[in-house]
Amino acid sequence: MDNRLLAKLPARELKLVQPHLQAVELRYTQVLAEPDEPITHMYFPTGGVLSMVNEPEDGDIVEFATVGNEGMVGVPLLLGALTMPSRVFVQVEGAGFRAAAKDMLEVLRQTPTFHGRLMRYVMALLNQIAQGTSCNRLHEVQEPCARWLLHTHDRSMARASCRRKSS
């Protein structure tokens, strides 16, 4: 398991989670979630970069978070919502696992360590969004751009590392 949320699960919990995970390729520009549409799957990338974006009515696209092998997509499900308020798409191709949302919600009731880990990830994601928002407001364009490039580079290197392990 090259997704950090899955990698260190206790064996008992991994045994409950694994049957629901399907290996998937994450292709460039592939849309994983649409705004206000039901969330059908949770995604756990092992490589690549996923972008979470809002699209105001004026046609702009505003990225507010990125997700790599440290995270997952489907956070609203953990908070009791059935839809995603934003679009999620693949920005840097890679691979990962997906699991049907309804199955994962049932599994989470049986896996307290996994559930706790996902909730801590929610906090980390909120911190990432808050930090990014602050940086975008307080710094010149070069600093947020450098931060984004470093995050993307780190996640792309995780993807390259996954390829070397599987070769």
Side-chain angles (χ1 to χ4, degrees):
M1 296 280 153
D2 288 329
N3 176 279
R4 289 194 253 164
L5 292 171
L6 300 171
K8 294 184 180 178
L9 282 179
R12 184 193 83 70
E13 291 195 10
L14 185 58
K15 194 180 276 191
L16 293 171
V17 172
Q18 241 172 346
H20 301 285
L21 299 175
Q22 173 189 10
V24 292
E25 289 295 317
L26 300 170
R27 292 182 174 75
Y28 177 63
T29 70
Q30 177 184 357
V31 176
L32 304 180
E34 289 282 3
D36 304 318
E37 294 293 320
I39 300 170
T40 59
H41 293 87
M42 287 182 163
Y43 289 87
F44 299 87
T46 57
V49 181
L50 310 179
S51 286
M52 300 173 78
V53 299
N54 283 331
E55 300 177 55
E57 292 180 17
D58 64 3
D60 287 339
I61 297 175
V62 179
E63 180 182 77
F64 63 88
T66 57
V67 178
N69 74 331
E70 81 291 342
M72 56 83 71
V73 168
V75 165
L77 291 169
L78 299 171
L79 304 174
L82 300 176
T83 62
M84 183 79 73
S86 55
R87 175 170 285 120
V88 180
F89 69 93
V90 179
Q91 186 175 96
V92 176
E93 68 179 25
F97 298 99
R98 79 176 190 173
K102 64 180 177 51
D103 294 340
M104 288 306 291
L105 289 174
E106 183 58 38
V107 168
L108 286 170
R109 291 191 238 307
Q110 304 167 40
T111 53
T113 301
F114 187 41
H115 186 259
R117 184 168 290 159
L118 292 181
M119 294 307 286
R120 284 189 302 281
Y121 171 70
V122 171
M123 190 66 221
L125 182 64
L126 291 173
N127 285 337
Q128 174 193 347
I129 293 167
Q131 183 67 40
T133 301
S134 297
C135 285
N136 289 342
R137 169 66 178 90
L138 298 173
H139 300 295
E140 297 294 323
V141 71
Q142 294 88 347
E143 287 90 351
C145 182
R147 184 173 176 272
W148 182 89
L149 287 170
L150 288 170
H151 277 263
T152 302
H153 178 266
D154 288 349
R155 289 170 175 147
S156 296
M157 295 313 299
R159 178 174 166 241
S161 173
C162 290
R163 282 193 185 149
R164 283 193 298 273
K165 286 180 187 176
S166 64
S167 299

